[in-house]
Amino acid sequence: MKRFLRSGHDSVRERLKRDLFQFNKTVEHGFPHQPSALGFSDSLRLMAIGTRSGAIKVYGCPGVEFMNLHEQNNAVIKISFVPNQCQLITLLDDNSLHLWSLRQQDGGSELLEEKKFTLRGPPGAPPSVTQIKVLLAHSSGERLFVGTEGGSVFTLALPSLQVLEEKTVGHDMALQGLPDEYSDRRPFESVEALQEHPKNPDQILIGYSRGLMMVWDVRAGRSAQRFLGTQQLENIYWCRDAQQIISCHNDGGYSQWEASGEHIQQSPMENKVPYGPFRCKAIGKITWLTSRRGSPYIVFQGGMPMASYGDRHSISVVHGSQQTAFDFTSRVIDHVVICNSDPTADYDDPRALLVLAEEELVAIDLQTPGWPVIQCPYLVSLHCSAITCSYHISSIPLKLWERIITAGKKQNTQYSSMPWPVDGGVNLAEAPRQRDLLLTGHEDGTVRFWDASGICLQLMYKMSSVGVFQTDMDPNENLNSQGEEDWPPLRKVGSFDPYSDDPRLGIQKIYLCKYSGYLSVGGTAGQVLVLELNDEASQHAVDHTLVDLLQEQEGYRWKGHERLNARQDPVRFPPGFQPFALVQCQPPAAVTSLVLHSEWRLLALGTSHGFGVYDFQRKCQVMVKCTLHASDQLALEGPLSRVKSLKKSLRQSFRRIRRSQVNKRRDGAVGCVFQVQEANARLEQEALHEMELAPVQRKIEARSAEDSFTGFVRTLYFADTFIRDSIRHSPSLWAGTNGGTVYAFSLRVPPTERRMEEAVSASQIKEIQLMHRAPVVGILILDGHSVPLPEPLEAAHDLSKSPDMQGSHQLLVISEEQFKVFTLPKVSSKLKLKLTATEGCRVRKAAVCTFGSCRAEDHTENHLTVLTNLGDIQVVSLPHLKPQVRYDCIRREDVSGIASCVFTKSGQGFYLISPSEMERFSLSTCWLIAPRCKVDPPEPSVNGRPRRGDSTERQSERSRVPSRSDSSTDAHRPLRQVMEHALLNDEH
């Protein structure tokens, strides 16, 4: 009978697990890693980006996203949308063609591969004959023209991708009728460009690498016109009125040809080198667009003077007397000018310039004077400066949300007000149920606030800590600033800036209280800033406090970098988060842990040397605890000095290798090989001593107290609990170190009315040493109902249930190797859960998440969510520490991805899959955020030529989908009614 009940209970539990837990990788945020190709559809208003890893991503209006992978994982080098069809064609670097369709399924659309084809040449032919260089999808949607390195143009039927042999344009056809002196002197070689006649779909323009251009009549199968260029050709463009052909060349110039002239034209109407007369870089692509304003828009890529600006990545726009060379900090891959989508219009009327660079996507408004940049609603440059840490906050109160948005709008006055020009498709996803923030710290000392509520990650606000310190670079200086008379007229655009003025400015830790608006950030040089939200600009001096974590102990000498020098004079801060207190740790080692209690007005910080408590209301130090062990010599060198010592050891080892090769060359090759192997072994041993082992290589074993970095403070935790006795609870601080030590301090915080008169005091009450000495990565206290204690100000403002202070509390210590529960206040061991030691499993991240049932809305459970160094995620029940589920999430080799992972309170997570991309995953059945959208094929117009659907109708359809700013969606969550009234900086 007992066995039957137990099995019945297990089956109920398994069903509940299925209702609570479900692992999904939902959506990627950021900019695609290593983009390699760009495509745009005028009829669908969609943009496609291909990457070197074989990914294909299609974007429309915000929320419209499609993604798929090629099986071969080869680089995508060309993308061509089939006009007026929901199809696109990709060309990979293995010379294979792939046809993709946006197929409608279950009310939405899905990107699926339909066909795959590889162009084959005749037996014995060289590979260049069929090596594809350029694609042209015909406006009829029935043919695809491909130009090859061998000089041939093949015609493929769509959608079957079958070669129409009788339609092939060989190199011998192009040579017929040419003057002998031209054909002998100027061989045309490969096909560089293909263009369709703007008004006659039966003609295409073929451009060959040596300068020859030919108009080919597809229906008649003969040449209609030839242009005998003499300069190496890069690209061509056929103007909308079909009267002019523009060719650009490798000498940095372009030529204008009369398309309605003689059958064979010996020379162009005009040659021009925009940035001559000296040697210039090649113009890789050019666009000539007509406008109702009179002068045409000339957009070309490259063409900069070789000697002085050869390293610049630029795209120039010329319109009448106005000319600007947009300067990018990474290589330009391709660009598209978005114009009037109606093919029957008389003018192009360009609206926006879309530029895909290696590290970012930039859109420029061509209709507004000054040509400002359009802010991207997706494909944001997360890595504009390298990401150093991340922090996620759920359920942001409306007041804080609006104030952050307001501060961000005051920063973004330089952006254009034009709507996002890539507006195809319809977003069918539901509006976000709550407001979530993702904060990223960067190497340049900035913290960026991202709206992480829905599918698209949008930048809301940027906070910079640079103004507090004296740096070599004046923030007002601009290396790209030039006078009006300077030539070429360069203008830097984009946000990607990989260079940091000072590596010590890097942000290592972030903590934000969503109820009070207090923000704290810790940096690489031991600096900790406390900031508060202010809606107006202010000018004030920041209070400085020096905290000596070594407590003047003898025998310790810091060998690392110096601390940052703070400005003594008042500094002007823009609206937003403004610093009012600076805590400088001494030695200036990187901040390793940080926590803030807004109700007590206390800040706790930790480094590799110890931890301390700072009172940011009275702006004074409360206590300091040194955790540095006598053998922790590496902790005194600092990260920058360790890098230098590693470089030095590598350099010395390679010198020994070279010396051994020189000495043993006289004795023979055999002795040289042995010496090289011996030197390599020494090099490997020295490098291993200098570098930390990869997580997967470290074995679980008992550690001695003499191990390095035992004093490294991994976690800090404020709690109101029973620390002295079981009768009275009081504020406390808990700290965990890398050596498996847990320190507990009792805090005396005066009442609010005497807070400024009386000082906060702290005294150490307990010290716990874990037997296995594994690093402590998390500390948590559970109340009498085994529920984690609420966040500061939550219970005081009735934003959550008050903790149970009647029953006994429990202390949960999370180390890298096991979870252990202690009873409070006696700190006696109650139960523990060990992780397996056979796989070298170690805990890297841990957080408490709330999981709700997908069937019973009122049922929720709090569980511990853990990420290990093997890349798997485990959910463990609280307080019984029973494993619930396990999922493989991140590759174990992806050390940076594991280190960057952050969990949300609702059972989701973010981690970096590349330096520029962040992937979102979900463990909860109730929280699945994924793109749901559809793309309808264009409707045919009255004149029989297909065109894009009416924009007003599409806009009205999109407006039926609720937006994330719709306040009515918050009514579905009972907590929202309370959250809207959470006050910021409430002193009472």
Side-chain angles (χ1 to χ4, degrees):
M1 185 66 179
K2 290 182 179 178
R3 185 178 303 172
F4 174 76
L5 290 176
R6 182 173 298 176
S7 62
H9 175 74
D10 291 343
S11 62
V12 171
R13 186 63 199 168
E14 288 300 322
R15 275 202 312 270
L16 186 56
K17 282 183 183 179
R18 290 193 295 270
D19 293 343
L20 292 174
F21 310 116
Q22 180 184 0
F23 179 72
N24 285 284
K25 289 187 177 180
T26 55
V27 66
E28 294 178 8
H29 300 286
F31 184 76
H33 185 51
Q34 295 183 334
S36 55
L38 172 68
F40 184 78
S41 172
D42 287 320
S43 57
L44 297 175
R45 254 359 194 208
L46 296 178
M47 169 183 61
I49 295 178
T51 69
R52 296 182 192 173
S53 60
I56 177 74
K57 303 183 180 184
V58 179
Y59 299 90
C61 68
V64 175
E65 298 182 10
F66 303 95
M67 186 264 187
N68 214 322
L69 289 168
H70 294 85
E71 293 182 2
Q72 294 80 7
N73 292 333
N74 291 81
V76 182
I77 58 177
K78 293 289 182 181
I79 300 176
S80 178
F81 276 90
V82 180
N84 311 304
Q85 303 287 333
C86 292
Q87 292 180 327
L88 65 151
I89 299 161
T90 57
L91 170 66
L92 304 188
D93 60 359
D94 64 352
N95 207 43
S96 63
L97 291 171
H98 301 258
L99 177 65
W100 300 83
S101 293
L102 290 168
R103 190 187 303 170
Q104 295 195 5
Q105 293 182 356
D106 300 330
S109 298
E110 195 173 352
L111 182 63
L112 300 173
E113 185 175 3
E114 301 285 352
K115 294 281 186 180
K116 175 186 173 183
F117 172 77
T118 301
L119 188 62
R120 306 292 183 186
S128 61
V129 173
T130 55
Q131 187 66 42
I132 302 174
K133 291 200 68 176
V134 61
L135 304 176
L136 173 63
H138 195 260
S139 59
S140 64
E142 299 174 354
R143 283 168 290 180
L144 174 70
F145 300 99
V146 295
T148 66
E149 284 189 359
S152 298
V153 177
F154 293 89
T155 305
L156 279 67
L158 290 178
S160 61
L161 291 181
Q162 294 181 351
V163 179
L164 304 177
E165 299 289 349
E166 68 279 4
K167 298 291 185 180
T168 301
V169 184
H171 58 85
D172 53 341
M173 299 180 182
L175 289 173
Q176 293 177 2
L178 288 178
D180 294 338
E181 63 275 10
Y182 183 85
S183 58
D184 295 340
R185 188 179 74 253
R186 307 294 304 176
F188 51 84
E189 289 190 352
S190 64
V191 176
E192 291 293 330
L194 292 171
Q195 280 271 317
E196 183 179 343
H197 194 292
K199 297 185 180 300
N200 183 5
D202 291 334
Q203 292 186 350
I204 60 171
L205 177 63
I206 306 172
Y208 298 94
S209 60
R210 291 297 183 179
L212 172 67
M213 294 183 294
M214 178 179 67
V215 177
W216 182 260
D217 193 313
V218 177
R219 185 179 296 273
R222 59 180 178 81
S223 171
Q225 199 172 9
R226 288 186 175 92
F227 306 91
L228 308 184
T230 57
Q231 188 65 37
Q232 182 171 329
L233 185 73
E234 296 290 329
N235 218 318
I236 55 179
Y237 185 80
W238 209 331
C239 297
R240 191 183 190 95
D241 58 4
Q243 299 300 313
Q244 281 191 98
I245 292 174
I246 313 297
S247 61
C248 54
H249 306 278
N250 71 333
D251 63 345
Y254 64 86
S255 303
Q256 297 172 247
W257 303 81
E258 186 178 358
S260 58
E262 300 176 355
H263 178 73
I264 296 180
Q265 292 193 26
Q266 300 283 349
S267 60
M269 297 186 297
E270 183 180 0
N271 286 320
K272 187 172 183 180
V273 181
Y275 297 113
F278 302 105
R279 186 186 176 195
C280 295
K281 294 176 65 177
I283 295 180
K285 185 176 180 179
I286 191 167
T287 311
W288 188 290
L289 304 162
T290 58
S291 171
R292 298 180 188 275
R293 303 175 185 178
S295 301
Y297 281 81
I298 307 172
V299 183
F300 57 89
Q301 181 175 325
M304 285 282 117
M306 186 74 75
S308 53
Y309 297 97
D311 59 340
R312 299 297 181 107
H313 313 288
S314 67
I315 290 183
S316 300
V317 180
V318 183
H319 176 57
S321 60
Q322 185 178 3
Q323 180 169 347
T324 301
F326 295 102
D327 187 18
F328 299 86
T329 55
S330 58
R331 184 177 66 90
V332 175
I333 294 172
D334 201 355
H335 74 272
V336 172
V337 182
I338 301 177
C339 304
N340 188 347
S341 59
D342 186 3
T344 61
D346 295 331
Y347 298 94
D348 294 296
D349 287 332
R351 298 177 55 230
L353 170 64
L354 204 65
V355 182
L356 177 66
E358 275 191 338
E359 304 293 348
E360 61 186 332
L361 178 75
V362 180
I364 299 170
D365 180 3
L366 297 180
Q367 292 185 339
T368 304
W371 297 336
V373 174
I374 307 171
Q375 192 169 15
C376 296
Y378 46 72
L379 291 174
V380 291
S381 181
L382 288 173
H383 65 312
C384 45
S385 175
I387 295 178
T388 50
C389 64
S390 301
Y391 184 78
H392 187 276
I393 322 164
S394 301
S395 303
I396 303 298
L398 179 61
K399 182 177 289 187
L400 175 62
W401 188 264
E402 291 177 341
R403 292 176 66 180
I404 293 175
I405 290 177
T406 302
K409 287 181 178 179
K410 294 179 181 178
Q411 288 181 336
N412 298 333
T413 55
Q414 76 277 12
Y415 287 109
S416 168
S417 59
M418 172 185 286
W420 182 243
V422 186
D423 56 358
V426 180
N427 180 16
L428 303 177
E430 296 181 357
R433 290 183 285 175
Q434 64 183 23
R435 294 174 288 269
D436 291 350
L437 271 178
L438 178 67
L439 277 62
T440 55
H442 298 266
E443 190 182 23
D444 60 355
T446 60
V447 176
R448 285 169 168 81
F449 291 64
W450 306 92
D451 179 359
S453 308
I455 298 168
C456 303
L457 203 64
Q458 298 182 8
L459 180 63
M460 299 173 62
Y461 165 75
K462 182 180 75 172
M463 187 280 297
S464 176
S465 63
V466 180
V468 181
F469 306 100
Q470 296 177 358
T471 57
D472 297 335
M473 174 69 71
D474 188 345
N476 295 323
E477 290 182 5
N478 185 5
L479 294 177
N480 290 275
S481 60
Q482 296 185 340
E484 295 181 357
E485 301 299 328
D486 290 338
W487 189 260
L490 286 172
R491 176 182 145 199
K492 182 181 177 182
V493 290
S495 59
F496 177 72
D497 186 6
Y499 306 105
S500 175
D501 299 339
D502 195 328
R504 298 174 296 173
L505 291 169
I507 304 296
Q508 297 297 324
K509 293 294 176 180
I510 304 173
Y511 190 94
L512 172 64
C513 176
K514 61 186 179 183
Y515 303 117
S516 64
Y518 285 117
L519 171 68
S520 181
V521 295
T524 306
Q527 73 275 19
V528 178
L529 285 172
V530 187
L531 308 95
E532 61 181 345
L533 191 56
N534 192 348
D535 298 330
E536 303 294 334
S538 67
Q539 185 169 355
H540 61 269
V542 180
D543 187 82
H544 304 159
T545 301
L546 184 65
V547 174
D548 185 8
L549 295 176
L550 294 181
Q551 297 174 307
E552 300 180 355
Q553 298 185 27
E554 296 182 0
Y556 295 112
R557 186 171 63 89
W558 173 250
K559 304 175 185 178
H561 51 264
E562 297 180 355
R563 68 181 187 182
L564 288 164
N565 296 320
R567 297 182 185 270
Q568 304 297 328
D569 301 331
V571 181
R572 180 173 177 81
F573 297 102
F577 285 94
Q578 300 172 353
F580 64 89
L582 168 63
V583 183
Q584 178 61 57
C585 299
Q586 191 64 29
V591 176
T592 58
S593 55
L594 185 67
V595 66
L596 180 144
H597 201 291
S598 52
E599 190 173 355
W600 301 338
R601 302 293 197 270
L602 295 179
L603 172 76
L605 53 95
T607 69
S608 55
H609 307 107
F611 61 94
V613 177
Y614 174 76
D615 183 348
F616 62 84
Q617 182 165 346
R618 300 180 76 234
K619 298 180 181 178
C620 62
Q621 172 184 318
V622 176
M623 56 80 60
V624 167
K625 174 69 176 179
C626 180
T627 58
L628 189 66
H629 195 271
S631 63
D632 284 353
Q633 293 301 318
L634 286 178
L636 292 168
E637 294 184 359
L640 300 182
S641 63
R642 287 202 301 276
V643 172
K644 293 178 182 177
S645 62
L646 174 60
K647 291 181 179 179
K648 183 179 179 181
S649 66
L650 291 174
R651 191 182 304 114
Q652 292 173 350
S653 300
F654 280 118
R655 286 174 179 171
R656 285 196 293 270
I657 293 174
R658 285 196 295 268
R659 284 200 300 267
S660 65
Q661 289 175 339
V662 173
N663 293 334
K664 289 299 177 181
R665 193 173 288 125
R666 305 172 189 145
D667 301 331
V670 176
C672 178
V673 170
F674 283 120
Q675 284 290 337
V676 170
Q677 292 177 347
E678 183 180 350
N680 286 336
R682 288 198 303 268
L683 167 64
E684 184 177 357
Q685 291 296 324
E686 291 178 6
L688 287 177
H689 281 300
E690 294 291 343
M691 299 174 61
E692 293 186 25
L693 291 175
V696 74
Q697 297 173 339
R698 299 170 64 182
K699 296 180 179 179
I700 293 181
E701 57 187 10
R703 300 172 178 82
S704 65
E706 286 72 28
D707 287 345
S708 297
F709 290 105
T710 56
F712 189 105
V713 180
R714 296 286 292 268
T715 181
L716 292 165
Y717 180 69
F718 279 119
D720 185 2
T721 186
F722 301 95
I723 186 171
R724 292 181 180 270
D725 53 53
S726 59
I727 301 174
R728 292 173 298 175
H729 56 87
S730 62
S732 63
L733 172 69
W734 301 77
T737 70
N738 216 42
T741 306
V742 177
Y743 300 95
F745 281 77
S746 176
L747 305 174
R748 181 190 173 275
V749 182
T752 305
E753 59 272 11
R754 299 196 306 272
R755 186 67 174 78
M756 293 300 296
E757 290 75 20
E758 299 181 16
V760 178
S761 61
S763 58
Q764 183 172 342
I765 301 299
K766 303 181 187 302
E767 180 176 337
I768 307 169
Q769 179 61 58
L770 302 179
M771 295 299 294
H772 57 295
R773 298 184 182 276
V776 178
V777 297
I779 297 174
L780 184 68
I781 291 180
L782 308 176
D783 67 3
H785 293 308
S786 300
V787 176
L789 296 180
E791 296 182 8
L793 292 178
E794 273 193 332
H797 287 275
D798 296 328
L799 301 171
S800 69
K801 292 182 179 180
S802 298
D804 179 30
M805 293 297 184
Q806 303 301 322
S808 60
H809 287 191
Q810 301 175 78
L811 169 68
L812 172 62
V813 178
I814 306 166
S815 72
E816 283 191 352
E817 299 175 10
Q818 70 178 19
F819 315 119
K820 199 166 186 178
V821 176
F822 301 87
T823 60
L824 290 178
K826 293 184 179 181
V827 194
S828 58
S829 177
K830 185 177 180 181
L831 62 124
K832 64 181 177 181
L833 172 65
K834 281 189 175 182
L835 298 181
T836 174
T838 57
E839 299 178 356
C841 182
R842 290 181 176 273
V843 175
R844 285 289 177 256
K845 304 281 182 177
V848 176
C849 300
T850 301
F851 294 91
S853 173
C854 60
R855 298 184 181 180
E857 295 183 359
D858 56 344
H859 180 81
T860 59
E861 296 182 6
N862 292 319
H863 293 287
L864 187 66
T865 308
V866 176
L867 172 69
T868 71
N869 64 323
L870 303 180
D872 63 332
I873 294 178
Q874 302 181 27
V875 179
V876 180
S877 67
L878 291 176
H880 306 295
L881 299 183
K882 292 185 180 296
Q884 301 297 306
V885 291
R886 178 187 176 276
Y887 302 108
D888 292 326
C889 181
I890 310 174
R891 292 182 301 107
R892 65 174 64 189
E893 299 83 10
D894 189 2
V895 180
S896 62
I898 295 173
S900 64
C901 181
V902 290
F903 290 111
T904 74
K905 292 294 181 66
S906 57
Q908 302 177 71
F910 296 84
Y911 70 95
L912 288 171
I913 57 175
S914 73
S916 61
E917 289 176 290
M918 191 167 281
E919 186 160 60
R920 185 179 199 149
F921 62 87
S922 175
L923 302 170
S924 173
T925 56
C926 295
W927 290 93
L928 181 61
I929 298 178
R932 177 169 171 76
C933 46
K934 71 173 183 177
V935 175
D936 296 322
E939 298 177 1
S941 62
V942 178
N943 59 7
R945 191 160 176 147
R947 64 178 178 85
R948 178 172 169 261
D950 185 64
S951 59
T952 57
E953 181 181 349
R954 296 168 68 91
Q955 184 63 33
S956 63
E957 186 175 0
R958 279 196 294 268
S959 64
R960 291 194 291 269
V961 181
S963 65
R964 71 178 60 187
S965 60
D966 188 3
S967 59
S968 63
T969 58
D970 294 327
H972 297 289
R973 307 275 301 175
L975 184 60
R976 296 265 58 81
Q977 299 298 328
V978 181
M979 289 286 295
E980 305 312 298
H981 302 287
L983 301 179
L984 301 180
N985 300 327
D986 185 8
E987 298 292 339
H988 301 289

